[in-house]
Amino acid sequence: MKHILFVIFICITVSAVQAQEGEFKPIPEKKQRLDQRGQEPVNRGNKGSEKDNTAKRKEYDINLYKVISHDRDTTIVDTTLTIQKDYKYNYLRRDDFELIPFSNLGQTYNSLGYSFDRAAAFPSIGMRAKHFNYDEVEDVKYFNVPTPTTELFFKTAMEQGQLLDAFITMNTSKRMNFSIAYKGMRSLGKYQNILSSTGNFRLTANYRTKNDRYGLRAHFYSQDVLNNENGGLTTEAVADFENGVEEFTDRSRLSVQFQDAQNILVGKRYFLEHDYKIVKQKDSIRDNNLRVGHTFNYETKYYIYDQANANVLFGNSFVSNSIRDRSQLRKLFNQASLSYSTKTFGDVKFKANHTKYDYFFDKILFPASGNVIPSSLEGDVIAIGGEWRHTIAGIQLKADLLANVSGELGGNYFTGRARYNFNDDLKAEASIVINSKAPNFNFLINQSDYIDYNWRNNFKNERTQSINFSLKSKKWGNADVSFASLDNYTYFSGLTAGAQVSPQQSQDAITYLKVKLGKEFRYGKFALNNTVMYQQVTQTGDVFNVPDLVTRNTLYYTDKWFKKALFIQTGVTFSYFTEYFGNAYSPLLGEFYSQNQQKIGGFPRFDVFINAKVRRTRIYFKLEHLNSSFTGYNFFAAPNQPYRDFVVRFGLVWNFFS
């Protein structure tokens, strides 16, 4: 709480002192009057005294307000109001088309589709159901702005709570930028014992020297995801829910599996990446650069499951009360690199890294089966690889290769990508990912006060091959096609009724095809935005389950009112996915598991929204799942876990520029 109060105080103070009434507008290149580095805003007011000019409207080039991704792709701060902004106005702050949320804000999401385009040679801690709101290194953004920039995001929660994301960034000089942000959420929820409380605190910095020889970027990230857990509805409560029994439209009256459990994931990360140009040659013939680089990343994560009394849902236990399972991962990563850039061969990087890891518990376990479960998995991994970037005949090429050459955790990956812009409207991209890595740590070893949730496995490496194609066009629409082959796919299984959830590894190959199409049709002030996804899986058994069809269709109206002072956007969104054996959720493991006893899906969702934009403020008002009371109470996000009833939510996103 102290983080969020601190950030809000800074944002409001800076904004109140420095915010201007003017809008940011692109300035024609020939009229820009920038300094030699092109980073200063331009005051285009009439000539006069400094006091008079300060009082007049200022217009800045919005292209100078840069957002830089981990992969160094650059975009600009965007204050427009579009239908895509409506799709991203949620807890995750990204389009959740391929996800279905649980009933309370801050709970987990069930996946309606999967992507295998992010490669890694090192496993993660696991607990994947707790990571939807957990930002990894690749998710962190950096900034470069000519004036202090602030954004406040607010949205109401489901019951007795709110969601707030406060952010500010500023350049202390033309070459040094800092940012600070905190996203906090708390929501009681409408069912028993499902309170959610999460926090994401972030500090970033990036810097380059005046001669461009040395540069760095760094961040500190502290994240926690706390959820009270109830295990879902009981069998009797599911029947009362589906039958729409009037007494139980007050969801707090429905019986749940237990009311005394909670789990939490906490992570802290210290990241530094810097480089130095040791050779810089630039003349009419040569443009060569030789750089040495270093990356440091130290991260800790721990996961805790607490329960006051043992529950038969998870089988027998070593203790009858005060269940407490705790696992922790510490990872220290260092990478050295040597990069060489030329006009002829592009950018070539050679890299070598060392990872020291320790995944541990607080004891050694000697079960009755005689298979001793150690207190930790620890070791060192050394990897070598390289990267290459170049543009040939307008085609942007990128390749990345890495292989673990030392240590018990073998792994490797290769990624290749090609991009080409046919014109200003049509863009194409193709990529390939070949990946082999050890399964996540909680597949390999786990300790619990519940007897059946203790294991030590020697699984093979998971192998994934993925081919992806995409076309982007405002005129013709968007198309994304991906085909993946999964070998040694590792999953949690609850396929046998009554059996406890356990880690398994598929002996048969799984193939997965995903086709996603998007197109918007416009007629005057009306538009119909459509996204449709088709999926097909070839497998033995019910291991990897997804719906065949997912669709989202939005009919909306836009206009400018009150002499164009107010931009209005209003409409209705229809969402639907076909029935399938959706994964079930285990609060004990913080994981989803495959099951074939209960199907979910096949229910429509209608959301009515009214959005507006006044200057740089976007206001959102939505009636979520408006049809919940009259199209049948068969809406579930996972077995025994209902989706949301009708709820009215509103909020805003407010940008300040000084």
Side-chain angles (χ1 to χ4, degrees):
M1 188 65 186
K2 60 183 180 181
H3 294 312
I4 191 169
L5 292 176
F6 175 68
V7 174
I8 292 173
F9 174 76
I10 291 178
C11 293
I12 293 176
T13 302
V14 172
S15 302
V17 173
Q18 299 179 319
Q20 301 292 328
E21 303 236 350
E23 290 291 333
F24 287 85
K25 300 180 180 180
I27 300 175
E29 183 176 354
K30 64 181 180 180
K31 293 185 179 180
Q32 290 185 13
R33 294 179 292 160
L34 308 177
D35 75 341
Q36 61 180 353
R37 297 187 59 85
Q39 294 189 2
E40 289 297 323
V42 176
N43 186 341
R44 300 180 64 197
N46 296 328
K47 292 182 179 181
S49 67
E50 182 178 351
K51 182 177 180 180
D52 292 338
N53 286 336
T54 302
K56 294 182 180 294
R57 170 179 291 189
K58 291 183 179 180
E59 294 181 358
Y60 300 98
D61 185 355
I62 191 62
N63 296 310
L64 299 178
Y65 292 77
K66 299 176 182 178
V67 182
I68 306 164
S69 71
H70 175 77
D71 202 34
R72 300 188 186 278
D73 292 329
T74 301
T75 56
I76 61 174
V77 174
D78 186 2
T79 62
T80 61
L81 177 59
T82 64
I83 194 62
Q84 284 72 32
K85 290 289 186 70
D86 180 76
Y87 295 153
K88 295 178 181 180
Y89 186 68
N90 54 48
Y91 170 59
L92 300 180
R93 303 207 65 180
R94 64 177 185 267
D95 192 346
D96 58 0
F97 172 73
E98 298 185 17
L99 301 172
I100 179 74
F102 278 30
S103 65
N104 194 21
L105 191 68
Q107 284 186 283
T108 188
Y109 293 73
N110 213 341
S111 297
L112 304 178
Y114 294 87
S115 297
F116 299 94
D117 54 358
R118 182 174 287 187
F122 192 83
S124 70
I125 188 174
M127 297 81 187
R128 292 167 295 181
K130 303 288 292 182
H131 278 76
F132 287 98
N133 187 51
Y134 192 98
D135 285 340
E136 304 293 348
V137 170
E138 297 80 7
D139 301 314
V140 176
K141 301 290 194 299
Y142 302 89
F143 305 89
N144 192 343
V145 294
T147 60
T149 303
T150 306
E151 181 178 274
L152 294 179
F153 173 105
F154 169 80
K155 191 172 186 179
T156 56
M158 311 310 293
E159 187 90 2
Q160 296 185 24
Q162 61 279 319
L163 167 63
L164 180 65
D165 191 352
F167 159 81
I168 183 172
T169 181
M170 66 182 70
N171 275 48
T172 58
S173 69
K174 297 174 183 178
R175 297 171 296 276
M176 185 71 186
N177 175 273
F178 291 97
S179 76
I180 181 172
Y182 183 81
K183 183 169 78 170
M185 189 282 307
R186 184 177 178 87
S187 180
L188 181 63
K190 299 193 178 287
Y191 295 80
Q192 298 180 44
N193 200 57
I194 57 167
L195 178 143
S196 299
S197 178
T198 65
N200 302 68
F201 177 73
R202 181 181 75 247
L203 287 168
T204 73
N206 64 84
Y207 170 76
R208 291 213 78 86
T209 57
K210 187 175 182 179
N211 61 10
D212 202 36
R213 285 211 170 222
Y214 177 75
L216 70 82
R217 55 182 182 175
H219 71 254
F220 166 74
Y221 218 142
S222 177
Q223 307 177 76
D224 62 89
V225 183
L226 170 68
N227 296 104
N228 285 0
E229 300 285 359
N230 60 25
L233 301 182
T234 63
T235 303
E236 296 79 6
V238 168
D240 292 331
F241 177 85
E242 291 180 329
N243 293 330
V245 178
E246 184 176 355
E247 176 186 357
F248 296 107
T249 53
D250 179 356
R251 301 310 188 189
S252 63
R253 296 181 178 180
L254 286 167
S255 300
V256 295
Q257 300 284 1
F258 43 78
Q259 302 182 45
D260 57 355
Q262 71 174 26
N263 58 24
I264 185 172
L265 174 71
V266 176
K268 286 183 172 60
R269 180 169 62 244
Y270 305 84
F271 178 85
L272 170 66
E273 182 181 62
H274 55 148
D275 63 81
Y276 181 77
K277 292 182 181 179
I278 56 178
V279 174
K280 185 177 180 180
Q281 296 178 332
K282 187 172 183 180
D283 51 41
S284 59
I285 301 176
R286 295 169 297 179
D287 186 4
N288 303 335
N289 292 298
L290 182 64
R291 301 192 308 273
V292 292
H294 170 245
T295 302
F296 168 85
N297 182 19
Y298 177 67
E299 186 169 16
T300 63
K301 287 184 183 180
Y302 68 81
Y303 173 77
I304 297 176
Y305 177 82
D306 276 322
Q307 192 165 17
N309 298 285
N311 192 282
V312 294
L313 182 69
F314 303 116
N316 297 326
S317 61
F318 293 116
V319 295
S320 60
N321 52 38
S322 298
I323 300 290
R324 184 176 176 84
D325 296 346
R326 178 187 175 107
S327 56
Q328 186 165 340
L329 174 65
R330 292 175 183 164
K331 185 176 69 173
L332 177 63
F333 173 88
N334 279 282
Q335 176 175 283
S337 64
L338 181 65
S339 304
Y340 185 63
S341 302
T342 68
K343 289 183 177 180
T344 305
F345 299 105
D347 299 334
V348 181
K349 175 190 285 189
F350 300 96
K351 56 187 178 182
N353 63 55
H354 169 261
T355 304
K356 184 176 182 60
Y357 64 92
D358 187 8
Y359 177 67
F360 61 95
F361 304 86
D362 58 0
K363 59 184 177 295
I364 300 176
L365 191 62
F366 298 89
S369 62
N371 186 18
V372 177
I373 300 177
S375 61
S376 67
L377 287 178
E378 58 181 325
D380 298 85
V381 174
I382 297 175
I384 59 173
E387 299 178 22
W388 175 68
R389 297 172 185 248
H390 198 24
T391 300
I392 301 176
I395 303 175
Q396 302 173 40
L397 301 173
K398 178 185 176 182
D400 188 2
L401 173 68
L402 186 74
N404 296 341
V405 296
S406 176
E408 295 185 3
L409 298 178
N412 58 77
Y413 67 77
F414 169 78
T415 65
R417 186 190 70 193
R419 290 177 176 172
Y420 183 74
N421 298 340
F422 291 94
N423 51 49
D424 292 339
D425 179 62
L426 182 60
K427 301 174 177 62
E429 180 175 324
S431 65
I432 182 172
V433 178
I434 301 173
N435 196 185
S436 173
K437 71 176 184 67
N440 293 335
F441 283 107
N442 64 339
F443 284 115
L444 303 178
I445 181 173
N446 193 62
Q447 290 190 13
S448 173
D449 287 335
Y450 286 103
I451 296 174
D452 291 332
Y453 287 82
N454 295 276
W455 53 73
R456 175 70 170 96
N457 296 308
N458 295 304
F459 287 139
K460 299 177 182 178
N461 273 17
E462 295 181 293
R463 298 196 300 270
T464 305
Q465 298 87 36
S466 176
I467 301 176
N468 313 281
F469 302 94
S470 72
L471 288 172
K472 307 292 184 184
S473 170
K474 292 182 179 180
K475 180 179 180 181
W476 303 105
N478 302 329
D480 297 276
V481 179
S482 64
F483 179 81
S485 175
L486 314 176
D487 293 305
N488 300 327
Y489 177 70
T490 311
Y491 62 100
F492 286 100
S493 173
L495 295 174
T496 303
Q500 299 302 319
V501 176
S502 61
Q504 303 290 332
Q505 191 166 63
S506 176
Q507 302 301 313
D508 301 312
I510 299 171
T511 60
Y512 171 49
L513 172 67
K514 181 172 74 171
V515 180
K516 185 160 66 172
L517 304 175
K519 180 68 174 77
E520 180 170 280
F521 301 93
R522 300 194 66 88
Y523 181 77
K525 297 178 181 179
F526 291 89
L528 178 62
N529 187 278
N530 306 282
T531 306
V532 179
M533 182 170 68
Y534 169 76
Q535 301 176 109
Q536 185 179 33
V537 178
T538 303
Q539 62 181 330
T540 301
D542 297 307
V543 174
F544 186 90
N545 299 322
V546 292
D548 292 336
L549 186 68
V550 183
T551 183
R552 178 181 64 197
N553 311 90
T554 302
L555 177 64
Y556 68 103
Y557 166 87
T558 58
D559 197 6
K560 292 183 178 180
W561 294 354
F562 307 112
K563 297 182 179 180
K564 299 184 178 181
L566 173 69
F567 179 80
I568 190 75
Q569 178 191 79
T570 181
V572 58
T573 297
F574 166 77
S575 302
Y576 179 86
F577 62 94
T578 54
E579 281 193 330
Y580 77 111
F581 288 115
N583 290 340
Y585 174 60
S586 170
L588 175 62
L589 297 173
E591 292 274 7
F592 283 93
Y593 61 90
S594 300
Q595 59 88 32
N596 56 7
Q597 289 89 49
Q598 182 179 343
K599 286 188 175 182
I600 64 171
F603 59 91
R605 291 173 285 154
F606 289 93
D607 300 333
V608 176
F609 62 89
I610 302 175
N611 304 329
K613 180 177 184 289
V614 182
R615 294 187 181 274
R616 297 183 298 273
T617 304
R618 283 89 72 203
I619 303 167
Y620 298 85
F621 181 86
K622 182 172 288 189
L623 310 177
E624 296 185 8
H625 203 187
L626 181 64
N627 59 301
S628 65
S629 61
F630 53 84
T631 55
Y633 292 100
N634 65 333
F635 46 87
F636 288 86
N640 301 334
Q641 297 280 357
Y643 178 65
R644 298 167 180 173
D645 288 283
F646 166 64
V647 63
V648 178
R649 301 179 66 195
F650 61 90
L652 59 84
V653 179
W654 198 353
N655 287 98
F656 302 92
F657 299 91
S658 61

